Amino acid sequence: MTDSEQVRSPADVDTTKPSVARVYDYMLGGKDNFEIDRQVAQMALQIAPDAPEAARSNRDFLARVVRDLAGEAGIRQFLDLGSGLPTQGNVHEIAQTAAPGCRVVYVDHDPIVLVHARALLAVDDGTTVIKADIREPDDILDHPETRQLIDLDEPVGLLLFGILHHLSDEEDPAGLAARLVRRLAPGSHVAISHFHNPMEEHPEVSRQAFEAERLFNDTMGTGRWRTRAEISAFFDGLELLEPGLVPLAEWRPEPGYHPRLGITYHTFLGGVGRKP
């Protein structure tokens, strides 16, 4: 965004502080970001030059998961927490293409996300966006707009893409995820993508993950690159679908897809679990 565009930003958007959603938007090649976001993104690129590829891999993972849940699993309602800025291939577009009539509730607490999302969704009666925080799971599930579109007595697709790694250990992300899952009907599916530190399995990548975590916490708040065991704990009580918890590109890739094994390849894992 130019300086003139910043002037037209919502009053409660602080353009002097970086935003996770806007830095992610920049990595995806979007235009809904400010100079401070681009500065932080450039610092991240010095540590991991292939970071934009990791961002795209996360979006591609989301698309494959949503198509699979709306198609093969028969899910007709989705709850997308930490949805971020609208971009090409949003959840409702993917789900409704796979199964017309799917309903989607987007959840975020970033003011600029809400502004853009509400403009996008103004003509879609089966989709809405609410301002809420994952740290208050009951507020999300009991929100009037959530209850209007989501029937908690029927299976739900709970999407937690790139959000749990923004919670510190003290905030008990596994406990928060469990509270959300506890209220979902059997047959619901939970999809998670999360920053990963492979530790001794890939020492060079591990060093990069620690450096990225330091930069993130110095500039944008909380970011945790967790171990495989820590991420696996988010799926406790769920049936982990094949191929399990894997680098994003390895989760049911399109035929003939051959990912480039850059330094971020092993620092972003994803998986999908089903509530029995």
Side-chain angles (χ1 to χ4, degrees), residues 5-118:
E5 288 173 315
Q6 291 188 32
V7 173
R8 297 196 299 271
S9 299
D12 52 351
V13 173
D14 187 347
T15 62
T16 67
K17 296 181 179 179
S19 154
V20 172
R22 298 195 306 262
V23 171
Y24 185 58
D25 173 75
Y26 176 81
M27 292 293 189
L28 287 170
K31 299 180 179 178
D32 295 314
N33 49 77
F34 299 102
E35 180 60 29
I36 187 64
D37 306 306
R38 295 188 284 273
Q39 290 175 4
V40 171
Q42 289 301 320
M43 287 189 286
L45 288 170
Q46 292 179 21
I47 299 172
D50 64 338
E53 187 170 330
R56 289 191 295 271
S57 184
N58 191 47
R59 290 301 300 183
D60 292 344
F61 171 60
L62 177 149
R64 297 195 304 277
V65 167
V66 173
R67 280 197 299 268
D68 189 85
L69 295 188
E72 181 179 324
I75 299 294
R76 295 294 179 266
Q77 47 186 5
F78 293 84
L79 192 58
D80 184 6
L81 273 62
S83 53
L85 284 158
T87 186
Q88 185 176 9
N90 295 291
V91 170
H92 70 285
E93 296 167 330
I94 300 165
Q96 290 170 2
T97 298
C102 283
R103 306 179 304 281
V104 179
V105 174
Y106 294 103
V107 182
D108 211 296
H109 67 274
D110 188 321
I112 201 167
V113 169
L114 301 172
V115 169
H116 284 269
R118 284 170 179 157

Side-chain angles (χ1 to χ4, degrees), residues 133-204:
D133 195 306
I134 191 174
R135 298 171 185 84
E136 301 294 338
D138 290 327
D139 289 353
I140 295 171
L141 297 177
D142 293 329
H143 193 286
E145 292 186 53
T146 301
R147 301 308 295 268
Q148 183 177 351
L149 290 181
I150 303 293
D151 181 357
L152 295 178
D153 292 325
E154 296 293 330
V156 174
L158 175 62
L159 310 180
L160 301 172
F161 292 102
I163 185 170
L164 294 174
H165 54 226
H166 295 310
L167 298 175
S168 67
D169 295 342
E170 291 72 22
E171 290 171 308
D172 188 21
L176 292 172
R179 286 173 60 187
L180 286 163
V181 173
R182 193 175 301 126
R183 293 189 55 187
L184 302 182
S188 293
H189 288 63
V190 182
I192 296 172
S193 65
H194 196 294
F195 289 156
H196 172 236
N197 189 324
M199 305 303 282
E200 63 275 1
E201 184 179 355
H202 296 283
E204 181 183 352

